Amino acid sequence: MSPALHALWRPLRRALYFTHRWLGIAGCILFVLWFVSGLVMLHVRFPALTPQERIDGLPVLDLAQVTVTPAEALAQLQLAALRRMALEQSLDAPVWRVIDVKGNHHVASASATPLSAVTPERAEAIARGFARSATARYLETSFDDQWTLPNANSFDKARPLHRVAIDDGAGTELYVSQKTGEVVRDTSAFERRWTLFGTLLHYYTYAPIRRHADFWRQLVLWTSGLAMVSAGTGLIVGVLRVRLRRRYRGDSATPYRGFLAWHHVLGLIGGIAILTWVFSGWFSMGPNRWLSHSTPGNAAAKFGQAGPEFTHGLPGLHTLASAPSPAKAVEAAWYGGRPVWVVSDAAGGRRSVDAATGLAVAVVPEDLARATAASYPGIAADTPALLTEPDRYWYARHVPPVLPVWRIVLHDDAATWLHVDAATGQLLSTSTSDSRLRRWLFNGLHSLDFPLFLKTPAWYLAIWVLSLAGLVVSVTGVVIGWRRLAK
């Protein structure tokens, strides 16, 4: 090394040691919390009501009572444009549940029975029916709490919420929208207890912090960013201090003993994993709005729609009463340029039927190609490809993904992909090249969602081994830091 480089290297090396030493004292405490909470999250997820759980809890639709068409319901609500409209049973009467283009939730009667206010007593009755329980106890009505924080799954548009306890031995609590009478969330005592040390600890989403969205975001960005510097400098220092040829005393590759040696050696082994974990966690917050390219306009929201919206009559709906499996929810939609009912039945099935005749609708590539051309005029698209099993972009770790689905690849600037439910013809998701790259930079690096691990128990083993190694590195760092501060 030349004298000039040597003179430059000495202060640089000193800065590396200094930065890692003092950032690591605080950073290792964070790493311990992150690794412990990550292992909890591996087995206990944040409470959520999945779409299938919500359908399972609904009563069977009494289609004979339905006398109000979608158009009449929208006229009552004084709405024209909307995002979703579905028919469901609310206790003893069917109702139309509507979400408008702004995400606001509405409800209108679908029968001759007028709507009843969702009082605490009615919320108790709804909760009893949903949970199939003989007893339910009203707890409170609130705008938000720890499990329904602001901006969580659009709860803001369904508030206020009645919280009702279920006597089922599991400490289940249901949240019922005072606006619509819909159950929007369920939690159990087990979930609430362990999530305090899992998701809430991992992402700092305790209510007093998460209510302040900008402060929470900056807190995550800065703590993970500084932790990333700590891990990166530690990895460099670890490499500088290891000797594989000219060994230290006792033929050791590390100059350290005790906790310092454990910290050094395991830091070298698991340093890359630790660094990629903290980087991907930092990146998940979208710093500087990187990779935020999206499909222009709202064409995706109108996929498959044509003609006057929601002019469905009721004859086709009433034919569903004779289906082998009774309907629990029926959504008003479009497919192939004509109105359809998208039916979710008691057996867990999904299908689309013609709104006029009630006959089953076959979802075919030709119709999907026409819908794509109408929604994305002037943009070429590949022939729809049918997926019958999960792949690297269409998968879910904890809830099985909808299958089969049609994938439609567009040749637009955003490289948009569409995934369409093969059973109903309804658009399930859109993705762009940016969102697919984010999938690798976050889900890949942070959750190890690589094709090799998606279908095997090896994923759990890899997470546990790497987390325990990282935990040992972090705990030894805390001990080292405490001893240094004590001096």
Side-chain angles (χ1 to χ4, degrees):
M1 183 182 293
S2 68
L5 289 177
H6 189 269
L8 179 64
W9 172 240
R10 290 187 67 181
L12 179 59
R13 184 174 60 181
R14 185 182 299 273
L16 284 171
Y17 280 77
F18 182 86
T19 300
H20 179 65
R21 177 178 299 159
W22 294 106
L23 272 184
I25 289 176
C28 279
I29 296 175
L30 278 176
F31 279 118
V32 169
L33 298 179
W34 285 336
F35 281 118
V36 170
S37 58
L39 288 173
V40 174
M41 289 171 59
L42 191 63
H43 301 282
V44 184
R45 307 298 296 174
F46 190 85
L49 185 67
T50 67
Q52 189 56 53
E53 287 174 338
R54 198 185 73 82
I55 293 296
D56 291 342
L58 291 174
V60 170
L61 266 169
D62 186 354
L63 295 168
Q65 290 191 61
V66 180
T67 58
V68 178
T69 67
E72 292 169 342
L74 293 177
Q76 291 177 25
L77 298 172
Q78 298 181 347
L79 292 174
L82 60 147
R83 186 181 302 168
R84 181 179 184 271
M85 185 172 193
L87 179 68
E88 296 175 359
Q89 192 79 6
S90 180
L91 292 181
D92 53 354
V95 296
W96 288 108
R97 302 197 192 281
V98 181
I99 301 177
D100 64 26
V101 291
K102 295 181 179 180
N104 296 310
H105 291 226
H106 309 267
V107 63
S109 175
S111 68
T113 304
L115 284 177
S116 299
V118 186
T119 61
E121 293 75 19
R122 187 169 178 84
E124 284 185 353
I126 291 171
R128 282 196 301 271
F130 188 92
R132 310 291 192 270
S133 173
T135 58
R137 177 170 47 90
Y138 167 79
L139 297 176
E140 65 172 344
T141 300
S142 65
F143 276 85
D144 69 78
D145 64 7
Q146 182 63 75
W147 315 111
T148 60
L149 287 168
N151 304 315
N153 296 333
S154 301
F155 289 152
D156 285 353
K157 306 298 184 179
R159 305 183 198 278
L161 305 175
H162 296 304
R163 184 163 66 97
V164 182
I166 303 298
D167 185 16
D168 62 353
T172 299
E173 293 179 1
L174 301 178
Y175 291 81
V176 182
S177 170
Q178 183 176 290
K179 283 186 177 180
T180 65
E182 182 179 6
V183 176
V184 296
R185 168 134 294 176
D186 67 339
T187 71
S188 68
F190 180 83
E191 290 172 331
R192 294 191 298 272
R193 183 185 311 115
W194 281 101
T195 302
L196 291 172
F197 307 101
T199 305
L200 301 188
L201 181 60
H202 201 78
Y203 294 108
Y204 320 146
T205 46
Y206 297 102
I209 299 175
R210 189 62 183 90
R211 284 192 178 98
H212 306 282
D214 292 337
F215 170 77
W216 169 75
R217 183 173 184 274
Q218 292 300 321
L219 179 65
V220 176
L221 281 171
W222 278 98
T223 54
S224 57
L226 292 173
M228 187 164 50
V229 174
S230 174
T233 54
L235 192 59
I236 295 172
V237 168
V239 172
L240 291 175
R241 296 295 285 162
V242 74
R243 288 184 185 176
L244 298 179
R245 292 186 178 179
R246 286 191 310 112
R247 300 261 179 157
Y248 294 99
R249 182 181 302 175
D251 197 35
S252 173
T254 176
Y256 306 114
R257 295 293 182 269
F259 282 105
L260 279 168
W262 280 98
H263 189 74
H264 184 203
V265 174
L266 284 179
L268 284 171
I269 296 172
I272 295 295
I274 294 173
L275 184 58
T276 55
W277 263 333
V278 70
F279 164 76
S280 55
W282 172 80
F283 185 82
S284 70
M285 299 305 297
N288 204 34
R289 299 187 181 278
W290 291 333
L291 300 183
S292 59
H293 189 188
S294 59
T295 303
N298 62 346
K302 296 183 177 180
F303 178 84
Q305 295 189 3
E309 293 192 35
F310 301 106
T311 56
H312 304 51
L314 299 177
L317 182 66
H318 288 153
T319 63
L320 298 176
S322 59
S325 182
K328 285 198 166 186
V330 180
E331 185 174 350
W334 289 86
Y335 172 75
R338 64 185 188 274
V340 297
W341 301 116
V342 179
V343 183
S344 299
D345 60 36
R350 309 175 322 280
R351 66 187 186 281
S352 286
V353 300
D354 188 279
T357 64
L359 296 177
V361 171
V363 180
V364 295
E366 292 78 14
D367 286 339
L368 297 178
R370 283 191 290 270
T372 304
S375 299
Y376 299 88
I379 296 177
D382 291 347
T383 301
L386 185 65
L387 304 181
T388 57
E389 59 182 25
D391 67 4
R392 66 187 63 186
Y393 291 109
W394 187 254
Y395 72 96
R397 176 64 69 186
H398 300 283
V399 178
V402 174
L403 287 170
V405 297
W406 290 98
R407 176 182 290 160
I408 305 171
V409 176
L410 306 183
H411 297 279
D412 59 347
D413 292 339
T416 303
W417 290 6
L418 311 178
H419 285 97
V420 180
D421 189 344
T424 66
Q426 301 304 297
L427 182 67
L428 297 174
S429 74
T430 63
S431 67
T432 65
S433 57
D434 281 357
S435 63
R436 291 191 294 276
L437 180 54
R438 285 199 302 271
R439 172 258 183 275
W440 292 109
L441 291 179
F442 178 65
N443 298 89
L445 295 180
H446 206 75
S447 303
L448 301 188
D449 282 352
F450 297 109
L452 175 65
F453 291 146
L454 285 179
K455 297 181 181 180
T456 67
W459 179 75
Y460 284 97
L461 179 63
I463 293 286
W464 267 97
V465 169
L466 291 174
S467 295
L468 289 176
L471 188 58
V472 172
V473 173
S474 306
V475 169
T476 55
V478 170
V479 174
I480 295 166
W482 177 258
R483 289 176 174 177
R484 180 168 293 277
L485 287 175
K487 291 180 181 180

